[in-house]
Amino acid sequence: MKEEAKSDIDQEPILSTYYYTSILAHESLPRALANHLSMKLSNASLPSGTLYDLFLGVLTDDEEILKCVVYDIMAVRERDPACISYVHCFLNFKGFLACQAHRMAHKLWSQNRKILALLIQNRVSEVFAVDIHPGAKIGRGILFDHATGVVIGETAVIGDNVSILHNVTLGGTGKICGDRHPKIGDGVLIGAGTCVLGNVKIGDGAKIGAGSVVLKDIPARTTAVGNPARLIGGKENPYRLDKIPSLTMDHTSHISEWSNYVI
């Protein structure tokens, strides 16, 4: 990332101060991310310094969260054709930033610091137009593409290498309490404007077409479209599914190195 930042400054010197304070001045990825998120989410009632200390503490204390950050930025760079660089993702992709802020809030939620977690959720919703309840569990390698209007409920669970487009709701039906939100498997793709409602399971590798409303379980490696969603793939009606990109061993071999340095 530092090399990309220097290259960008050569092309656009007007960005030098912004790139320096956001990336080049920091010795590690945790410090750069804590700083960037704190600047984005701070307001008069929630100073950036307070948020910086909070976020850096979470990133320093929880190695798993930091690994997820690395998987996420690599996933965006690999799967989103609009992403031209790691710097572009880190500075400008609000889906990536909202996901990382959620990881901080979820950690606080799990520590029973729920009031603070909900405050961060509120700020993320106001700043990024992404509303993820801090109780929701999210895996690695997540791509929130465009991200505007994404809503994810408290008991939702999202697996690894999932891609979710804008205006997607993973919500409840309003008819039950408790465990009431969707469970999304690994490698799932959810198209724009889709609603997945209730404690339903979306199997690994499934695809859901844009604008669909899903109220029932979707089997693994099938495609569902429509309102209500209907299957157009699977054993009874074979339909070729493109391989969903995932992080390979080559990509993950330097995870620990990413944890210590801004690349």
Side-chain angles (χ1 to χ4, degrees), residues 238-259:
Y239 183 85
R240 178 178 174 81
L241 295 179
D242 293 330
K243 181 180 179 182
I244 296 176
S246 61
L247 297 173
T248 64
M249 287 304 296
D250 289 341
H251 289 127
T252 60
S253 60
H254 301 296
I255 290 294
S256 60
E257 182 178 352
W258 274 67
S259 300

Side-chain angles (χ1 to χ4, degrees), residues 36-204:
H36 195 49
L37 283 178
S38 66
M39 298 301 293
K40 289 283 188 179
L41 299 178
S42 63
N43 60 15
S45 302
L46 203 59
S48 60
T50 300
L51 285 176
Y52 175 81
D53 291 339
L54 179 66
F55 293 157
L56 184 59
V58 171
L59 290 167
T60 302
D61 294 341
D62 195 322
E63 184 179 351
E64 180 59 29
I65 290 180
L66 190 54
K67 288 181 179 180
C68 289
V69 173
V70 175
Y71 275 91
D72 291 345
I73 197 169
M74 294 174 73
V76 176
R77 183 70 180 92
E78 181 180 76
R79 303 208 299 263
D80 188 347
C83 183
I84 62 175
S85 67
Y86 291 111
V87 167
H88 186 212
C89 172
F90 182 84
L91 294 180
N92 303 321
F93 275 46
K94 67 178 185 177
F96 169 77
L97 295 173
C99 186
Q100 308 325 309
H102 166 75
R103 296 192 188 283
M104 313 292 183
H106 180 70
K107 180 65 175 182
L108 296 171
W109 184 267
S110 68
Q111 295 173 337
N112 206 33
R113 302 176 70 181
K114 295 186 176 181
I115 295 175
L116 185 54
L118 290 168
L119 180 60
I120 293 173
Q121 175 200 3
N122 176 255
R123 286 299 296 150
V124 170
S125 179
E126 291 175 341
V127 174
F128 299 128
V130 176
D131 194 349
I132 309 175
H133 192 284
K137 299 177 181 178
I138 298 180
R140 301 174 170 184
I142 303 302
L143 168 62
F144 290 134
D145 194 358
H146 300 291
T148 300
V150 168
V151 177
I152 300 175
E154 177 183 2
T155 60
V157 178
I158 298 175
D160 298 333
N161 300 319
V162 172
S163 297
I164 297 177
L165 277 74
H166 52 286
N167 288 325
V168 166
T169 297
L170 305 182
T173 62
K175 298 179 180 179
I176 61 174
C177 298
D179 191 359
R180 60 197 183 278
H181 297 110
K183 309 298 180 283
I184 310 300
D186 296 341
V188 170
L189 171 64
I190 304 179
T194 292
C195 291
V196 186
L197 304 177
N199 188 9
V200 299
K201 182 178 180 181
I202 310 301
D204 294 347

